[in-house]
Amino acid sequence: MFTGKVLGGVTAAIIFGAIGTIFYFLPESGAAQLMRKAFHLGWPGGLVIVILMLYFQFGRKNDPRQGELVFKSVIGLLGYSMLFIAIANYAMNFNDESPGVPGEPRFLPVSLVMFTVACFTMAMYFKGVRVLLQIGGFMFFVAACLAGFGNWLPQVKADPPPAEEKTADVRQMSVQERADLGEKIIFGAVGASGTQGAIGKGQCPLCHGFQKGFLSERAPNLFGIPTRALERLKDPRYSQADPSKRDTVQKEACPGCGTAQTAAEYIAESHACPNCYVVAGFGVKGSNDRESPMPASHKPPIALTELRRTHRR
Amino acid sequence: MATITKQARNKIWAFLALGTFVGLLLLPLFLSLPAGAGDTPAPAASTASAAAAPADAKPVEKSRDVWYKTEGPVVGAPAPKTTDSAKDYPRYNFESRVILWVALQQHLYYGSFVLAVPIFCMIVEYLGVITKDKALSRKYDQLAYDFVKISLTAYSITALLGGIVIFTFLTLYPTFFGYLSSIFRPVMATYALLFIAESGTLYIYYYAWDKMREGFLKWIHVAMSVILNVIGTVLMMLANSWIAFMQSPAGVDADGRYLGNVWHVIHTTLWNPINVHRLLGNMAFGGGVVAAYAAYRFLTAKSDEERSHYDWMGYVAMFIGICFLIPLPFAGYWLMREVYAYRQQMGITLMGGLLAWLFIIQAVMIGALFLTANYYLWQGMDRMRGAERYQKYIKYMVFVLIMCFIVWLTPHTMVMTPAELKAMGGQQHPVLGNYGVMSAKNGAINTIITTTVLSFIIYQRANKIPTVKWAPYGNAFLFGLFTMAYVNIIWLAIYGYYIPANVRVGLSVPQVASTLSCLFIGVILNSIMLKGAKDVGPIVWGQISVRGQYALIMLATSFTWMMGLMGYIRSSVRLFWHVNEIMRDNSPWAFTHTIGFGANMISFNVLFFWLTILFVFWLGSLGVKKVPATAPVGQKVPAPAGSH
Amino acid sequence: MVGQSREITTGMKIAIAVISLLVATAYFTFLDWGAMKIQGLDYFYMFRK
Amino acid sequence: MTALKLVEGYMPVQMLIEMGGLALLFIWSFYLLDKKMGIKVNKLAQATGLFLFSIIYFRFRIYPPIPFSVQAIYATMTLIGIFMWVSSTETSWQDFRQPLIAVVDAKTPTTQIIRAVSVVLLPFLVGFLGWNNMKPSIDEPIELRTVHPAPPASTKVHGKTFVLQTASNPYRVDDDGKYSDMVQKKYIDGNPWDEKAPPYMQYVREGGQIFFQNCHFCHGDNLNGRGMFAFAFNPIPANFTDAGTIAQLQETFVFWRVSKGGIGLPREGFPWASVMPPWEQHLTIDEIWKVILFEYWHTGYYPRTWD
């Protein structure tokens, strides 16, 4: 009564019944979409198998192996459809990474399970390639276990931190914008230059005074620097035009840089090479004003980036 | 007379060939010297580009190395600051990173395989030369030969994939590739030359096999395999320097400007740990692939002869693979330590942070590998009469392994719903929480390894009865050794809970030392005891269950998966940097994928690799000569089992 | 397991086993101590506290 | 099942010993059945029995209940172990397979019925499992918090930058005022209220005062995370006496966590589930260091060091 043929028929009926039910009652469900996609992808091959099956059924009436051939094509069709449902699963969900949403990429390993099942099912009936199918199926199985475990774990996707603040190209800035940027670097915020104790990334006010008459013991008060810079250039100790005569630990900002010719150049040089010229009385103790206590502004610990320094050109 | 001249001629040819290889080996060095000197115009070029940049106008600027802290002349341009645009990151309607991932991973798999197989051949060929047993010696030789043959096909695929990688890289990440190649120009040139040298050596090695079969010539042939492997290893190390640079840059200043010292760029802090780790990993992987090949041939075999040959081959391959697997965790430990020493947050991201769950998967796989190895050995006992005496102990070993595995896999951070959290009363479980810490894990994994050693010792003596006079004492000592090793390992694991962390971290060393004691003392003592032992029954190669062969396939697949996983971990720990802290990844794909996505990709890569390698096997099997008809039935256990 | 040349009684077997256990214990204790020593750590930390 | 109390402090080892003993009992009982009473129990039945037993053990014996995820891992491990056991030898494997093959072959009416029923039920079972897995659930989503997320390289507190790898607690000092790893060990039983206490103990006392003014409401007066507000939060506050919290961390890591609080957690520490305030808004740098000093002193743990 319960022969293999009957049971096979019952199983087939259940499967087709289930598929039919899904299509009839839930035509827009994920499962129905999946099957439609699979059909869309794999129908030509399926058609070939169906034609073969029909040919075996009706074209080979006298072949003793007819029943076996028909059966094999049915199994082939089954494996083929599983294969394409699995592929459709990949095609639909591969790029979607929404953790916690069921039925989404975390179910991709299900495809691997389907490959496994398809391989083993076909291995049962296709003796010629049995071992290959079994080995393949086993590998799919191992991969399915591992990938399944990976997907079963809670998912975290990590975004990179926001990119560092972009400094616009100083050369494109208006004078006002440049001044604002400078104020921000020195005092921390635009308009903070009047506030007592305001300090920015450049940390200049730690040592330098910026207001007229402010106490400035560690470093020269910078109030009125544009005019005073020109006086400094004339100082014999500055030794304009011939840096080699300077009596300092570093004679030039960079090899071949030469000396400043304008006030702006002088200020720029002082930022990059505080040792090139030390205002009398402000050198490192005991160095006889040959060495400056100020760090070069483009090196640690201040390490202003290139665009934040004043430019020579 | 004629024969003598022929021999002499052969000898001359052999010396000539050897000379050529040495020459080929040295050639890249000579060529890289002018390449190094050829860098002198480079500063001029870079000054030209620097002149365009705002600040650095003067030619010889000095700057400080980010890692070595040495001063050096600025030679290269700073690392480009990329923007999220099609110029820096061209779009091809798919995640560029994933495409590159697949290309690189496939190249890596094949690369590992073609690097591992020659090492494998070298060992097997050498075994063949030193084995006194003529038939066995021929078998080894044939085995080695078969593998070079397979690696030839794989070699061309590797080269092809390498080309694909460069093409993909250049197309998808042009700016980044430009930067890397500007720094590594001399290294890349050397690499290309070495690659040619490697190809030449490999082909000559293969085609000279028959010609150099006997006597002195054979030794030269073996020497050739050494040279082949030296070239291969240097190749790998050069390639490693690129990834090591990306992870822990050196030889450049904080802006990414090259400072003219190639050695600093190559020899970054993580370079050597990665080299060692990769070399061992490649070998284990090679053993796995070869074992899988043997299993495939075993399962498709038509005759008992074939079955016995491939059973034996699988055993040898598995054995060599496992030999390299055992030191692998220590190499990994070293690498991890160096990563921690380099950047603490990188270490924590790996072990306790974002990527920690990937290590859980790794833990699963390590456990699975050891379980499978044990299982294979137990299945292998079916080959021998007399093994029944030991088979009743298997269940206890299974039990110990599974208990340790349970401890090994208990996660430190448990996944649970909020309801479960409340029921438990906190993130930490009062019982299982204790299994989640390092102390317990060390105990568990060392017990697992010790049990594997025990399995192997039992396997070794399965069909033998020791006859030496001191056998009772030897057995008693083995018993004492293993019992106390287990006790010691577990005691140290428990002891770890009672002492402060700074002392506790030291406990892993005695634990490992205990395991290694068992491995070396136990196996050596056992081998000595079995000298001249009475055979209960022969080893009948081929008489192993199909499950045993699937265990080999499982090993191979897991190796492959694990390589993919660890590579992914190593690579993604840079997070959003192309070159750590030097060049930021500003592409839309700078985020770190979910674990699941990673697992899916790794699975894809693994399966793709196996599909193609099956094709390679098939190609290799097309012209395979019939397996020599020496029936290995009744043969002694081959050298690896007895001599190690 | 029994050697061909001489008989070994059960009592002797137990004695041998106990001795080998003791030897192994001594060996592993020494190993633990030494392995901690070379790292500059104290194996008997808990007992000296 | 929970009537059999687990002994506090020895629980993990106890669990292993218990499992070991039960397994031995299991093996032994089937051995007795076979050899003494002549009842040979089929391997499939033995395996099924062992599996069910292990599930029951993990489900009910261990208290507090373990989460499903861990149970699933354990069950899988048990299954693998059972498979390895039954298939370790050919005879045992054949014995195990025999009933299954009998059902598939269906030579007798009983096996035929079993086969028919399973063939009909299996698709439904698979379908049900699939549906059950996919159906929308009203449970709270599982939260994955990385409890110790990777710290930044440096953190800025009160305008001062601390490099986590190099900074150290300025109050972990020996009697001469120099940084010392060993000072805690020396004074672990010291009295912080002693007037003449060494500087280290005085800092511990100050840290304790800060702790009881600010922290103990949540972290508990025994530092065990059981403060009076603790159970209003999910997850509950960290238990410092647990070997998995501060004992695993560097002192600078703790400093970063205390000063930045829950809102300062990096992305992987989310979904946001920590209400700890950023203490830099309430405490000075010195106070934070002192309170950390106190926490380590009180629990007896040592901060992790990197060699």
Side-chain angles (χ1 to χ4, degrees), chain B residues 333-545:
Chain B
Y333 179 73
W334 182 35
L335 176 59
M336 221 51 231
R337 237 181 126 92
E338 293 297 314
V339 169
Y340 263 110
Y342 171 67
R343 285 287 182 278
Q344 183 201 345
Q345 77 263 40
M346 211 182 238
I348 294 189
T349 301
L350 284 172
M351 302 303 291
L354 187 61
L355 303 175
W357 285 98
L358 292 166
F359 273 88
I360 305 264
I361 306 182
Q362 189 223 8
V364 173
M365 306 200 63
I366 290 178
L369 285 179
F370 278 108
L371 284 192
T372 318
N374 273 294
Y375 188 72
Y376 178 74
L377 285 173
W378 299 335
Q379 292 297 318
M381 278 158 59
D382 270 357
R383 298 184 192 116
M384 297 175 245
R385 207 170 310 130
E388 308 80 28
R389 291 172 296 161
Y390 294 105
Q391 281 178 336
K392 60 174 176 280
Y393 298 119
I394 290 178
K395 53 179 170 286
Y396 303 107
M397 293 200 281
V398 172
F399 177 70
V400 170
L401 286 175
I402 293 297
M403 294 256 279
C404 290
F405 209 0
I406 279 178
V407 173
W408 177 242
L409 282 190
T410 305
H412 182 246
T413 314
M414 293 180 187
V415 180
M416 51 195 154
T417 62
E420 286 171 334
L421 181 84
K422 288 204 179 86
M424 239 171 73
Q427 283 281 347
Q428 290 285 324
H429 192 282
V431 183
L432 305 181
N434 292 295
Y435 298 150
V437 294
M438 216 52 223
S439 217
K441 305 266 187 232
N442 278 340
I445 193 64
N446 279 299
T447 312
I448 290 178
I449 300 178
T450 310
T451 309
T452 312
V453 174
L454 188 63
S455 279
F456 180 65
I457 285 185
I458 289 178
Y459 176 84
Q460 265 189 321
R461 51 165 56 202
N463 64 337
K464 293 200 175 79
I465 294 177
T467 50
V468 284
K469 268 193 189 142
W470 46 275
Y473 303 102
N475 283 331
F477 185 75
L478 273 183
F479 166 75
L481 182 77
F482 273 91
T483 316
M484 287 324 291
Y486 278 122
V487 170
N488 191 43
I489 289 168
I490 293 165
W491 148 247
L492 288 174
I494 297 170
Y495 186 45
Y497 289 95
Y498 294 92
I499 50 178
N502 53 351
V503 185
R504 179 173 60 225
V505 291
L507 286 181
S508 58
V509 178
Q511 266 176 335
V512 168
S514 308
T515 309
L516 292 181
S517 300
C518 283
L519 178 62
F520 291 115
I521 302 179
V523 173
I524 291 171
L525 186 71
N526 195 40
S527 307
I528 299 173
M529 262 166 77
L530 292 179
K531 275 263 161 66
K534 195 174 90 186
D535 274 5
V536 181
I539 296 183
V540 189
W541 290 105
Q543 206 187 70
I544 186 174
S545 69

Side-chain angles (χ1 to χ4, degrees), chain D residues 243-300:
Chain D
T245 59
I246 57 170
Q248 296 264 323
L249 300 168
Q250 265 194 314
E251 221 167 354
T252 50
F253 186 101
V254 181
F255 177 79
W256 166 59
R257 291 302 331 118
V258 173
S259 34
K260 297 300 170 190
I263 57 167
L265 280 167
R267 164 95 191 206
E268 70 255 31
F270 280 63
W272 185 1
S274 167
V275 293
M276 181 147 112
W279 285 103
E280 60 174 345
Q281 293 173 8
H282 307 274
L283 301 176
T284 64
I285 294 171
D286 292 347
E287 285 169 335
I288 296 175
W289 280 124
K290 280 176 189 162
V291 84
I292 293 170
L293 194 74
F294 168 76
E295 284 164 8
Y296 279 107
W297 177 80
H298 189 279
T299 54

